[in-house]
Amino acid sequence: MTQKLGQEQVEEKETQYEYTPQGPGLDTRQHMTTSYGHKPLIDQVTNGWRGDVKIPEDSGDYEPGFCDIEDEGSCPNVSRDIVRSRRFRRMLALVVVAAILAYYAWQAYLRPRLLEDWEFKEGFMSGRGNGTYGMARSGDFDGTAIKDIDAALVPGGKADHDGKRRLVFIGDIHGCKKELLHLLDKIDFDSAKDHLIATGDVVSKGPDSAGVLDELIRIGAESVRGNHEDRLVEAAKTMLDDDVDVPSAAITSKGSSKDAALLKHMKPRHLRFLHDMPLMLRIPALPLAKHPGKHHIAEEITVIHAGLVPHVPLEKQDPYFVMNMRSIDHKTHVPSALHETKKGNSKPWFNIWNWYQDRIDRGRSVDGFHVYSYAEWLGKQASHGWFEKVRHVLPSKHNDKVTPQVAVYGHDSKMGLQLHRWSKGLDSACVSGGHLTAMVLDAKGKTEITSVKCKNYK
């Protein structure tokens, strides 16, 4: 029996499951023995899940979607992170500021300029019903309409190899001899190498018109005819009569009686000088001028008293407006002696002049601009095919061989000194207490402005 018990104890020992703790602080020699019968515990579980485990069909192929909120890399989550970032907010603020600035630049600068550019161009298009300058053509003029300057007087020309000569342009003198002498002294005028050109209205209003004429004659100066000279030339035909009662104290030309009074103070040489004044004086481009710009002139110069209509050739300009214009209707291009007309389309004439010359200088086409009547425009349209009509609209280097030119003028004391790239207005209201202004042009085309203060003689 003892033997039998010993065998059972041996078998029981063979089926014992020993668990040996491995953790620190436990004695590995201690054994915890639990008897679970003859089978491992896992084999004694009777649940059916062990043999019926199902794996989801898509468990291995699942990928998060583009807009899956649970995926950190999805579109909504990435967008949210971007919006929350400081960098994004700074960039958004910059974009908003840039948009606001662009809007105000468009409204305050770009849009008005583009609109004005179109309006100026529209005035050249006869076929649009606005017409172009054709009503005021060249009329009667008792004198020389266009005169070219003596070639020997051109700075840097054939007679001036060293480039020492200068041209001196002076605004409206109006009989202010004292101021004229002061200005000539200030610019170190030397009649041996300098040539003075006045922009007209050298007489009337001021205290010594005859004295101004004597000084101009003495130094060999030239002047274009202004509206006051023209009045005197016309008045001389009828007012130089011994029977005319003239107030001796009247020395200005406000009205016919004062024109007659001024004529009484003039000698034949004075009247001859007035009559010989050309309507326009043309100066060729200076040979040594290389750097054209606002303060340099390298192009042909036309000196007039009041203004010019941009696209009308000099020989077709109306003499009255050349001596009297202040504005141009930007739709019809008809000039006016007023600053503002009742129609409200008036622009300072030099604005359209500058736009037109700048267009030529940049090589933009002006083909079709040189039309002086509606009938002439119809004739040109009939001779153009469809290709020619399209070509006129597009930018082109073709410009009918027209070259830009600079206009030097006076007359408009209300506008004051106006110095632009293509026009130089020199009337600075001398006789009204303003300044007498000179523009000195050297052989290299550089201009220098000098003025002297004037007494108010009004």
Side-chain angles (χ1 to χ4, degrees):
M1 185 171 178
T2 301
Q3 183 179 2
K4 182 178 179 180
L5 180 60
Q7 290 177 353
E8 289 176 355
Q9 289 177 344
V10 172
E11 290 178 359
E12 185 176 351
K13 287 181 180 180
E14 291 177 355
T15 59
Q16 285 179 344
Y17 173 75
E18 295 183 355
Y19 169 73
T20 304
Q22 302 295 322
L26 296 178
D27 189 352
T28 56
R29 292 174 297 177
Q30 295 178 354
H31 296 271
M32 182 179 290
T33 305
T34 305
S35 177
Y36 297 101
H38 299 284
K39 294 181 180 181
L41 180 61
I42 191 66
D43 292 337
Q44 297 182 31
V45 177
T46 59
N47 293 356
W49 60 269
R50 295 182 63 229
D52 193 24
V53 177
K54 295 184 178 180
I55 300 176
E57 295 180 1
D58 299 330
S59 61
D61 299 329
Y62 173 75
E63 292 183 1
F66 181 71
C67 292
D68 191 342
I69 299 179
E70 296 181 359
D71 181 19
E72 293 183 357
S74 64
C75 174
N77 292 328
V78 172
S79 301
R80 179 194 61 202
D81 293 339
I82 292 176
V83 171
R84 288 179 177 178
S85 68
R86 290 184 178 181
R87 178 179 295 180
F88 174 80
R89 279 182 256 180
R90 285 196 299 266
M91 290 181 62
L92 182 61
L94 290 175
V95 170
V96 171
V97 171
I100 293 174
L101 291 176
Y103 174 78
Y104 279 103
W106 166 256
Q107 290 292 335
Y109 182 73
L110 293 176
R111 185 175 180 273
R113 289 200 64 178
L114 290 174
L115 181 61
E116 183 182 58
D117 187 77
W118 167 247
E119 288 178 344
F120 284 174
K121 185 176 180 179
E122 190 179 21
F124 288 95
M125 300 178 181
S126 302
R128 292 187 172 272
N130 291 323
T132 188
Y133 182 69
M135 290 181 285
R137 298 182 179 218
S138 179
D140 295 332
F141 180 71
D142 183 13
T144 303
I146 306 171
K147 179 183 177 181
D148 292 309
I149 192 173
D150 187 341
L153 301 175
V154 177
K158 294 181 179 180
D160 183 36
H161 298 291
D162 298 331
K164 300 296 184 180
R165 296 200 64 87
R166 300 186 303 173
L167 292 179
V168 179
F169 304 89
I170 292 185
D172 299 26
I173 303 170
H174 277 301
C176 301
K177 180 180 179 180
K178 180 181 177 180
E179 287 79 4
L180 173 61
L181 295 176
H182 184 192
L183 182 58
L184 293 179
D185 182 64
K186 190 173 182 179
I187 62 175
D188 297 323
F189 184 85
D190 181 0
S191 58
K193 62 183 181 65
D194 299 330
H195 183 59
L196 189 148
I197 301 172
T199 60
D201 279 3
V202 299
V203 297
S204 78
K205 295 186 179 181
D208 194 359
S209 293
V212 169
L213 292 176
D214 282 332
E215 183 63 21
L216 295 180
I217 293 171
R218 184 187 71 82
I219 63 177
E222 290 183 275
S223 175
V224 294
R225 186 185 295 190
N227 56 304
H228 283 277
E229 286 85 14
D230 192 58
R231 282 175 55 179
L232 290 175
V233 169
E234 292 300 315
K237 299 176 182 178
T238 57
M239 289 186 178
L240 291 182
D241 188 339
D242 293 336
D243 296 331
V244 177
D245 184 16
V246 177
S248 59
I251 55 173
T252 64
S253 59
K254 266 191 175 179
S256 58
S257 62
K258 293 184 178 181
D259 284 341
L262 183 56
L263 287 172
K264 286 293 185 179
H265 289 80
M266 292 189 176
K267 307 297 182 184
R269 65 178 181 276
H270 299 146
L271 295 176
R272 215 168 23 248
F273 187 79
L274 294 177
H275 186 272
D276 290 346
M277 289 179 175
L279 183 65
M280 294 167 270
L281 181 64
R282 192 162 46 192
I283 303 167
L286 304 184
L288 301 181
K290 303 296 183 183
H291 305 287
K294 184 177 179 179
H295 304 293
H296 288 74
I297 300 176
E299 298 82 11
E300 179 179 308
I301 300 172
T302 302
V303 185
I304 66 277
H305 176 59
L308 295 167
V309 180
H311 59 298
V312 176
L314 297 184
E315 61 272 12
K316 288 190 176 184
Q317 296 281 340
D318 186 282
Y320 173 80
F321 288 125
V322 172
M323 294 181 288
N324 290 276
M325 81 162 68
R326 290 186 174 93
S327 65
I328 292 180
D329 186 305
H330 71 269
K331 289 188 176 181
T332 63
H333 286 189
V334 175
S336 171
L338 305 175
H339 287 103
E340 295 289 340
T341 60
K342 293 181 179 179
K343 292 183 179 180
N345 297 323
S346 300
K347 296 283 185 182
W349 74 271
F350 54 82
N351 281 359
I352 300 179
W353 172 271
N354 293 337
W355 176 87
Y356 179 76
Q357 303 304 324
D358 189 62
R359 184 180 179 91
I360 296 174
D361 185 58
R362 289 186 289 114
R364 301 295 300 277
S365 175
V366 294
D367 189 18
F369 284 9
H370 302 151
V371 180
Y372 316 111
S373 68
Y374 185 69
E376 188 176 349
W377 179 82
L378 289 176
K380 283 197 172 188
Q381 293 301 304
S383 64
H384 287 162
W386 67 269
F387 177 76
E388 290 292 319
K389 293 178 181 178
V390 171
R391 184 177 62 81
H392 297 333
V393 180
L394 301 176
S396 172
K397 291 294 182 181
H398 175 69
N399 58 13
D400 287 350
K401 298 181 180 179
V402 180
T403 56
Q405 57 180 300
V406 176
V408 178
Y409 66 99
H411 184 60
D412 201 343
S413 60
K414 182 177 179 180
M415 295 296 292
L417 200 63
Q418 294 287 329
L419 302 175
H420 303 280
R421 172 70 177 86
W422 303 106
S423 59
K424 314 291 182 181
L426 302 180
D427 188 357
S428 47
C430 175
V431 76
S432 303
H435 292 79
L436 183 61
T437 300
M439 181 179 72
V440 181
L441 177 69
D442 66 17
K444 293 184 179 180
K446 182 181 178 181
T447 62
E448 183 178 350
I449 301 297
T450 304
S451 299
V452 296
K453 181 64 179 176
C454 298
K455 181 179 178 181
N456 189 346
Y457 295 103
K458 283 192 172 181

